[in-house]
Amino acid sequence: MTGRPRLAFLALIAAAVVAVAAACTTGGPVSSVTAPAGPGPAARPAGARDVGVQLFQWTWDAIATECTDHLGPAGYGWVLTSPPQEHVLGSQWWTAYQPVSYRIESRLGSRTQFAAMVAACHAAGVGVVADAVINHMTGKDSPGTGWAGSAYSHYDYPGIWSDAAGDFHHCGVGPADDISSYRDAYQVQNCELSNLADLATGTKHVQDGIVAYLTDLRSLGVDGFRIDAAKHIPAQDLAAIVGRLPAGTRIVSEVIRGSGEPVTPEQYTGIGDVLEFAWGKDVTGMVRGGSLRLAAGLGTGSTYLPSDKAWIFVENHDTERGRATLGYADGADYVLANVLMLATGYGRPIVYSGYGFSDRDAGPVQDAAGKVVDAACPADVGPRVRYTDGEWVCQHRWAAIEGMVGWRDAVGDDPVGDPWQHGDAFALSRGTRGLVVLNGGNVEVAAQVPTTLSDGSYCDVAAGPAVEGRCTGDAVTVRAGLGDVHVAPHTALALHVGARVGD
Ligand code: ARE
């Protein structure tokens, strides 16, 4: 995947939509998406979709419905699923991160349901990235049976991996072979992460098995993979695996940036894209400290991955539980951080969407057989700061976040203009296509904000979409290069060329 054009993925989604449209008119089947030939466009044109959403622990059926009813219409470009392979039993969410086999049978749904979800999302113009757990197997010391009935023990997965075949690392550090220091690259990549049986990814046998699993998912139409725990897989091993996947496979490696650690996100950029954990951490500090404007400059320093390699997020399922970053319970500040992520130009944004919890280990609501119950968003779409345990938060539908997804699609890669500042408020424009005004203070801001939008009346899409030519939120007038804005404390206002009304 080395050196693939930055926007091959977007071209891939476009190819999917074209393929679907063709299939619909001819009545032919929609099976998988083929990779685009040749280099893609050098920049993201307005209207192209680059925003993703992590639907954490959503079932395949629920994702399919969400793609059709909300993600596609709202302008989301792709969805990140939870791991789809067979896993250990247990009610906790993290059972998904302990593979027992590579059968696509989990408490989130069957292989058939998974394939149907991919097809439904593609038909809605939404790509699918699956979470691929390929660094390890289970962390269970006692033998057991997986979700789909496969028997296993810690270092023996019949028909797949065994110690006898040399499929596992045993690093020889400490009594349990666990990583004890992240400052030692040998330990990070040869010892066990939390007792999880560590695959010897340097061997041909292990690489063959992982390639077969990922290729199988590709045959079901998946567009790309989040490589879970990539830091614990030597970059050369991962490169060898990814190099054997079908052309056009999108890769994003999970390599958490850690101070003083020898294994760095930069070591994985030759393989594909990489999750940039620093963004969410830094934006959290800036929003909490009332320095919203500084967030506009995030990513420009040398301590960040290059923008065209970075996938950024305010929070993910781990940081949400570690409370290291802003989350839904932070209410308005959380929304402002998401608005900043979607408004600024650095990286590829991922919106997070999870469920309420008070116990970090608690899984999503499950039925008597252990199957996850399909997500249903509350009738009163948030933001709220309190959700009962297991209640779906559906941040991706919150008006300001969903509105900003459409805003980002409308502004495309238009350049970020000079920020405007007025007390605790600041405004950011993108070329001649969009304006965002954020108010981090405790009093309403009423101001005439310079903008390159042409004269007219625009819907504030952070308050609600334009529906049949009318605003569901406030309308804002732009006249002679000035937007007449009123922004309530700790909220944002967003205008774009696609939500102009009354012409
Ligand atoms: C669970 C239990 C453990 C038990 C284990 C085996 O919690 O007590 O030993 O099962 O039985 C998730 C959960 C874990 C869970 C695991 C398996 O978070 O709690 O363990 O699933 O079920 C490091 C890695 C990074 C990893 C984080 C969590 O580098 O890759 O740790 N993140 C991914 C996923 C997780 C997932 C896994 C990997 C495992 O996103 O959801 O774990 O598949 C510094 C370092 C980081 C380090 C971090 C935390 O910041 O720089 O590299 O991240 O500390 O240790």
Side-chain angles (χ1 to χ4, degrees):
M1 297 300 99
T2 307
R4 286 209 180 280
R6 173 190 174 197
L7 293 166
F9 182 62
L10 292 169
L12 194 63
I13 301 307
V17 176
V18 170
V20 167
C24 289
T25 42
T26 59
V30 178
S31 51
S32 62
V33 183
T34 48
R44 183 164 62 89
R49 303 163 154 215
D50 78 333
V51 182
V53 55
Q54 178 182 2
L55 292 183
F56 178 61
Q57 291 289 311
W58 280 51
T59 60
W60 312 145
D61 283 357
I63 294 177
T65 305
E66 196 67 5
C67 275
T68 308
D69 294 349
H70 287 277
L71 302 184
Y76 283 97
W78 48 276
V79 59
L80 171 60
T81 76
S82 286
Q85 87 296 320
E86 180 179 12
H87 50 80
V88 295
L89 298 176
S91 65
Q92 303 89 341
W93 62 268
W94 43 252
T95 55
Y97 290 90
Q98 297 193 40
V100 168
S101 80
Y102 299 117
R103 291 174 61 190
I104 315 300
E105 298 291 338
S106 74
R107 66 181 183 188
L108 298 176
S110 67
R111 181 180 181 88
T112 307
Q113 288 169 314
F114 187 86
M117 175 270 289
V118 177
C121 290
H122 283 171
V126 181
V128 179
V129 174
D131 202 344
V133 185
I134 57 171
N135 170 66
H136 52 258
M137 298 300 278
T138 75
K140 305 284 184 190
D141 291 320
S142 314
T145 304
W147 172 266
S150 305
Y152 70 90
S153 63
H154 201 176
Y155 301 111
D156 190 22
Y157 300 83
I160 312 171
W161 314 124
S162 69
D163 243 353
D167 294 329
F168 293 99
H169 282 145
H170 294 282
C171 70
V173 174
D177 275 349
D178 261 355
I179 299 166
S180 65
S181 169
Y182 273 84
R183 300 207 167 195
D184 178 343
Y186 171 80
Q187 283 193 32
V188 171
Q189 299 187 329
N190 294 276
C191 293
E192 294 180 354
L193 168 64
S194 306
N195 200 39
L196 299 161
D198 197 57
L199 286 165
T201 48
T203 71
K204 179 167 183 325
H205 184 239
V206 169
Q207 290 183 2
D208 287 350
I210 293 173
V211 167
Y213 167 49
L214 300 181
T215 304
D216 182 40
L217 282 171
R218 284 285 273 147
S219 78
L220 299 180
V222 159
D223 302 287
F225 304 106
R226 167 192 183 270
I227 305 295
D228 180 69
K231 180 192 277 185
H232 306 279
I233 305 173
Q236 68 270 24
D237 296 356
L238 189 55
I241 290 163
V242 168
R244 291 171 58 190
L245 299 179
T249 304
R250 194 75 191 183
I251 296 293
V252 59
S253 297
E254 187 228 11
V255 185
I256 301 176
R257 191 179 283 289
S259 145
E261 292 187 21
V263 184
T264 65
E266 284 73 14
Q267 291 163 5
Y268 291 77
T269 53
I271 300 164
D273 297 334
V274 184
L275 292 165
E276 178 52 270
F277 278 73
W279 197 94
K281 214 166 75 182
D282 287 347
V283 85
T284 292
M286 289 171 180
V287 171
R288 285 193 173 137
S291 318
L292 299 185
R293 182 189 168 145
L294 292 179
L298 278 178
T300 50
S302 60
T303 53
Y304 270 61
L305 288 162
S307 179
D308 63 350
K309 289 289 181 184
W311 294 25
I312 61 169
F313 46 93
V314 174
E315 62 171 345
N316 74 1
H317 63 285
D318 288 330
T319 66
E320 176 182 44
R321 282 165 177 74
R323 309 267 187 227
T325 47
L326 289 165
Y328 68 79
D330 294 293
D333 279 352
Y334 177 65
V335 174
L336 286 177
N338 274 279
V339 171
L340 286 165
M341 173 175 76
L342 293 161
T344 51
Y346 176 76
R348 181 186 302 276
I350 314 173
V351 171
Y352 176 76
S353 194
Y355 55 85
F357 64 91
S358 43
D359 168 4
R360 89 170 281 286
D361 294 329
V365 176
Q366 296 149 48
D367 67 15
K371 187 180 179 325
V372 173
V373 174
D374 289 343
C377 291
D380 58 325
V381 175
R384 267 195 273 144
V385 294
R386 278 172 186 272
Y387 287 82
T388 55
D389 286 354
E391 188 181 7
W392 299 96
V393 179
C394 298
Q395 294 98 312
H396 64 286
R397 287 204 204 168
W398 290 4
I401 294 177
E402 193 174 278
M404 281 304 295
V405 172
W407 186 93
R408 188 177 177 93
D409 290 343
V411 304
D413 60 357
D414 271 17
V416 176
D418 288 336
W420 167 94
Q421 185 143 23
H422 177 82
D424 289 322
F426 99 96
L428 194 96
S429 61
R430 294 291 296 267
T432 55
R433 294 173 168 276
L435 173 74
V436 167
V437 188
L438 297 103
N439 181 2
N442 296 324
V443 291
E444 183 188 272
V445 168
Q448 300 282 319
V449 178
T451 174
T452 44
L453 286 168
S454 54
D455 284 5
S457 183
Y458 295 82
C459 296
D460 170 10
V461 295
V467 176
E468 293 172 1
R470 301 175 75 99
C471 301
T472 50
D474 288 342
V476 175
T477 303
V478 171
R479 192 171 295 124
L482 293 172
D484 182 20
V485 308
H486 295 259
V487 193
H490 298 281
T491 68
L493 171 151
L495 317 178
H496 68 75
V497 283
R500 190 169 146 168
V501 287
D503 289 334

